[in-house]
């Protein structure tokens, strides 16, 4: 079924009886050509592009809970491509271009809103760093503009530019960045994948791998054994727990990141603002809530909730530059589990087991990568070669000293 | 989280810096024939379990001691706290 204005009018006049579910509730077949483990944004995007772009068939997505119930439903919905390093920037810019065409591609309203993202500058050294970053972005076909304090105040008059510790001296803007309705991304890809014949199987937890002579033969699940020629892991924060069942240790620690939303307000914040020096960033959802967050808590966790010191830190950061935030009441807060890698960059690669593939290590930046991650992973699965924009995301980069460390922090996951 | 410091009593976890898996106490022998492989594992691979986890916490805002904290990563419950020095000695890492 195609969604359109005509369809909405027709259904309005006929009592909305013709909509039907957006995807089938599939029951597992005995075997598939491709099994994707994880029905989050990346897994569903992978299935969609594998079926649509790479013309593969006989694909299943296995999801332990319900689709969209993990990190794709728990993030702060920001899209951007403001990276510095060669291994990253072409990939994230490819992702942003896919976001720009996503709704037409999927015939689904994902509320992609290119309202712009602004990274604040507080010192000369930071201005140099952001100038370099902006130039790297432009060299890779992205957009970037350095703004003066005056230009920033014209759009965001409520900012406190005279904070004693971090006065605002300018900012790096990416006008094509913005926000997307995160749940709609999962639903849109699920519907698109389903229309191309993908079986989306919910409440189906993978409990083990069947591996014979170094080749994967399928997966044991809570709904029985399912055979497969290729198995693709795509489970973000649960990566270590899943791959341990295949005998692998990963360059990943799982950490909790908290996020917050205020009560619904009239439009006050037209874009996305990041105050990196103060561990705070904020946007306003279309429903009106101020959506904000800060740093990860910093210790291994699978609890999907954090602790109070980080909440205090985020609130302090927010109040320092954004004093009007203090008038809004906090409505909800929650935590998600981040697959923090050893250099802060992801992995999309084969494993040493034939037919077993891995996608993970997205740290706290997985949402913006969803389309490109799905596309690149589907490319790898279909052709056994990495996509042009994802050649650096290999397992062996740590052993070979080819880390992609945007912040230059070294192998300490809680510093990325 | 409250960490029950063996010398100082209960302290807020915010006073500490988290330094990762306590297995890092066991630094590989740099002169061993397989040292390269061992150091790649040591530097980059982690068990990352869901459940009980032994980990290093550094009391940066306090007495600057290193602790081995046993904590459940599913609930954040802390079940034991020891001085890393004592653990290292017991496990033969230090004289």
């Amino acid at each position: 079924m195609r969604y359109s204005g005509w369809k909405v009018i027709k259904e309005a006049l006929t009592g909305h009886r013709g909509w039907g579910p957006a995807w089938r509730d599939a029951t597992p077949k005995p075997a598939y050509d491709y099994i994707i483990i994880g029905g989050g944004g990346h897994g569903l995007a992978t299935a969609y592009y594998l079926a649509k772009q790479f013309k593969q068939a006989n694909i299943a997505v296995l999801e332990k809970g319900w689709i969209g119930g993990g990190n794709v439903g728990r993030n702060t919905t920001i899209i951007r491509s403001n990276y510095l390093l060669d291994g990253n920037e072409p990939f994230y810019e490819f992702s942003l271009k896919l976001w720009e065409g996503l709704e037409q591609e999927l015939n689904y309203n994902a509320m992609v809103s290119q309202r712009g993202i602004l990274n604040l500058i507080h010192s000369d050294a930071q201005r140099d760093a952001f100038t370099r970053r902006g130039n790297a972005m432009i060299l890779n076909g992205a957009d970037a503009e350095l703004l003066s304090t005056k230009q920033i105040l014209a759009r965001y008059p409520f900012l406190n530019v005279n904070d004693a510790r971090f006065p605002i001296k300018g900012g790096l803007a990416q006008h094509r960045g913005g926000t997307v309705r995160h749940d709609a991304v999962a639903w849109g890809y699920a519907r698109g994948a389903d229309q191309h014949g993908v079986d989306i199987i919910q409440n189906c937890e993978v409990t083990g791998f069947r591996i014979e002579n170094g080749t994967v033969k399928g997966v044991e699940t809570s709904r029985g054994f399912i055979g497969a020629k290729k198995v693709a892991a795509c489970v973000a924060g649960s990566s270590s727990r899943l791959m341990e069942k295949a005998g692998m240790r990963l360059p990943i620690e799982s950490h909790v990141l908290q996020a917050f939303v205020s009560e619904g307000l009239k439009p006050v914040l037209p874009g996305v603002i990041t105050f990196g020096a103060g561990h705070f960033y904020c946007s306003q959802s279309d429903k009106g809530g101020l959506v904000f967050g800060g740093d990860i808590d910093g210790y291994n966790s699978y609890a999907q909730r954090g602790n109070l010191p980080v909440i205090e830190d985020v609130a302090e950061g927010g109040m320092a530059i954004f004093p009007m935030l203090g008038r809004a009441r906090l409505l909800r807060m929650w935590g998600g589990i981040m697959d923090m890698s050893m250099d802060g960059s992801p992995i999309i690669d084969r494993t040493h087991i034939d037919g077993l593939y891995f996608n993970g290590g997205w740290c706290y930046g997985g949402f913006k990568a969803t389309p490109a991650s799905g596309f690149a992973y589907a490319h790898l699965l279909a052709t056994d070669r990495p996509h042009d924009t994802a050649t650096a995301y290999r397992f062996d980069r740590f052993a070979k000293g080819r880390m992609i460390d945007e912040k230059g922090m070294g192998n300490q996951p809680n510093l990325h | 989280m409250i960490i029950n410091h063996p010398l100082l009593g209960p302290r807020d976890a915010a006073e500490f810096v988290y330094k990762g898996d306590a297995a890092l106490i066991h630094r590989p022998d740099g002169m061993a024939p397989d040292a390269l492989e061992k150091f790649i594992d040591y530097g980059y691979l982690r068990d990352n379990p869901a459940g009980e986890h032994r980990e290093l916490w550094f009391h940066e805002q306090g007495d600057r001691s290193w602790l081995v904290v046993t904590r459940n990563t599913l609930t954040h419950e802390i079940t034991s706290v020891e001085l890393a020095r004592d653990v290292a000695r017991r496990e033969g890492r230090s004289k």
Side-chain angles (χ1 to χ4, degrees):
Chain A
M1 184 205 309
R2 270 193 76 75
Y3 295 149
S4 68
W6 289 117
K7 180 75 182 160
V8 172
I9 293 167
K10 185 181 166 222
E11 289 299 326
L13 296 173
T14 55
H16 292 289
R17 282 187 292 270
W19 288 115
W23 57 85
R24 294 165 294 128
D25 189 15
T27 47
K29 290 194 272 183
Y32 290 90
D33 285 356
Y34 297 92
I35 284 180
I36 295 157
I37 305 171
H42 290 217
L44 293 165
T46 303
Y48 172 77
Y49 290 115
L50 195 55
K52 165 97 190 307
Q53 194 74 28
F54 298 96
K55 312 286 182 213
Q56 302 298 303
N58 207 13
I59 304 163
V61 176
L62 307 186
E63 167 56 45
K64 178 174 73 171
W66 64 94
I67 63 164
N71 286 352
V72 74
R74 305 176 81 85
N75 59 78
T76 46
T77 80
I78 294 164
I79 60 169
R80 56 185 172 88
S81 67
N82 51 0
Y83 283 73
L84 172 69
L85 300 178
D86 288 342
N88 277 332
E89 181 57 17
F91 175 83
Y92 287 101
E93 177 53 21
F94 176 53
S95 199
L96 192 53
K97 288 199 171 74
L98 289 173
W99 283 118
E100 288 173 325
L102 186 76
E103 293 164 306
Q104 298 305 316
E105 165 90 20
L106 295 177
N107 175 232
Y108 201 85
N109 181 10
M111 298 164 75
V112 177
S113 166
Q114 293 182 286
R115 56 186 70 182
I117 182 165
L118 174 68
N119 308 133
L120 297 175
I121 293 171
H122 314 283
S123 65
D124 289 346
Q126 218 180 359
R127 186 194 310 281
D128 290 347
F130 275 129
T131 304
R132 183 177 174 216
R133 178 180 297 258
N135 285 333
M137 290 161 66
I138 290 166
L139 284 171
N140 284 290
D143 67 305
E145 188 187 356
L146 274 179
L147 300 182
S148 67
T149 309
K150 201 174 153 193
Q151 285 171 301
I152 290 171
L153 279 175
R155 189 160 194 224
Y156 303 110
F158 49 81
L159 283 179
N160 171 22
V161 297
N162 295 317
D163 181 69
R165 177 66 183 86
F166 294 114
I168 295 170
K169 297 294 188 188
L172 178 68
Q174 183 175 33
H175 301 298
R176 287 163 60 242
T179 60
V180 181
R181 170 83 165 93
H182 52 358
D183 299 313
V185 175
W187 301 331
Y189 274 122
R191 174 169 168 269
D194 179 81
Q195 285 173 348
H196 287 87
V198 173
D199 279 359
I200 296 167
I201 302 162
Q202 302 181 79
N203 299 309
C204 182
E205 181 176 0
V206 171
T207 54
F209 296 92
R210 190 174 292 180
I211 296 164
E212 291 168 9
N213 301 322
T215 303
V216 73
K217 298 292 180 190
V219 291
E220 308 287 349
T221 78
S222 55
R223 294 171 74 168
F225 175 76
I226 308 174
K229 291 178 185 154
K230 291 185 177 181
V231 176
C234 197
V235 297
S238 299
S239 291
S240 295
R241 297 169 79 178
L242 178 68
M243 300 313 279
E244 192 214 343
K245 300 178 199 302
M248 289 180 68
R249 291 172 83 221
L250 300 179
I252 287 173
E253 285 180 4
S254 294
H255 285 252
V256 60
L257 176 67
Q258 303 190 67
F260 311 85
V261 64
S262 77
E263 60 189 322
L265 305 169
K266 291 199 172 177
V268 290
L269 179 56
V272 184
I273 297 178
T274 78
F275 172 34
H279 312 152
F280 175 81
Y281 65 93
C282 190
S283 66
Q284 187 170 19
S285 77
D286 290 320
K287 215 159 65 178
L290 293 168
V291 182
F292 58 99
D295 265 355
I296 56 174
D297 272 39
Y299 45 81
N300 286 33
S301 175
Y302 288 93
Q304 290 194 319
R305 60 183 168 76
N307 274 293
L308 290 168
V310 166
I311 298 170
E312 188 178 19
D313 186 50
V314 170
E316 283 172 355
M319 288 301 292
I321 56 148
F322 203 160
M324 74 174 178
L325 190 67
R327 303 297 294 274
R329 280 168 295 193
L330 194 62
L331 188 68
R332 285 184 289 127
M333 60 195 189
W334 64 95
I337 302 308
M338 310 294 113
D339 34 341
M340 300 298 296
S341 69
M342 285 289 165
D343 60 357
S345 295
I347 295 159
I348 304 175
D349 201 0
R350 283 173 281 194
T351 67
H352 68 282
I353 298 160
D354 280 344
L356 181 60
Y357 297 76
F358 179 77
N359 174 324
W362 292 98
C363 301
Y364 42 79
F367 179 71
K368 76 179 91 66
T370 304
S373 167
F375 198 102
Y377 204 21
H379 187 284
L380 178 69
L381 288 166
T383 66
D384 268 316
R385 283 180 293 109
H387 186 256
D388 283 347
T389 63
T391 52
Y393 297 152
R394 298 166 59 102
F395 270 116
D396 65 3
R397 69 174 185 263
F398 301 100
K400 293 190 170 171
R402 301 180 70 88
M403 273 66 84
I404 317 164
D405 192 342
E406 285 277 335
K407 290 167 90 178
M409 289 298 187
N411 56 344
Q412 184 74 30
N414 60 357
L415 296 182
H416 289 296
Chain B
M1 289 187 295
I2 302 290
I3 294 176
N4 199 2
H5 193 300
L7 304 176
L8 304 174
R11 311 296 300 193
D12 192 326
E15 294 176 6
F16 295 79
V17 179
Y18 179 78
K19 293 289 189 181
D21 195 319
L24 294 175
I25 287 175
H26 295 278
R27 185 184 171 86
D29 175 7
M31 303 312 286
D34 58 350
L36 179 61
E37 204 173 294
K38 285 272 163 55
F39 267 98
I40 292 167
D41 274 19
Y42 179 80
Y44 298 109
L45 300 183
R46 298 290 179 265
D47 286 340
N48 194 20
E52 193 169 275
H53 189 222
R54 287 174 80 239
E55 54 204 20
L56 294 166
W57 290 74
F58 172 52
H59 200 189
E60 189 173 46
Q61 309 291 328
D63 71 347
R64 305 186 77 78
S65 57
W66 287 67
L67 306 181
V68 173
V69 175
T70 306
R71 192 178 56 96
N72 189 318
T73 58
L74 289 163
T75 62
H76 298 163
E77 184 193 7
I78 293 171
T79 47
S80 109
V81 183
E82 294 175 89
L83 288 174
R85 182 187 61 192
D86 295 345
V87 175
R89 279 186 179 154
R90 195 171 66 229
E91 295 177 4
R93 291 301 303 180
S94 143
K95 298 293 175 289

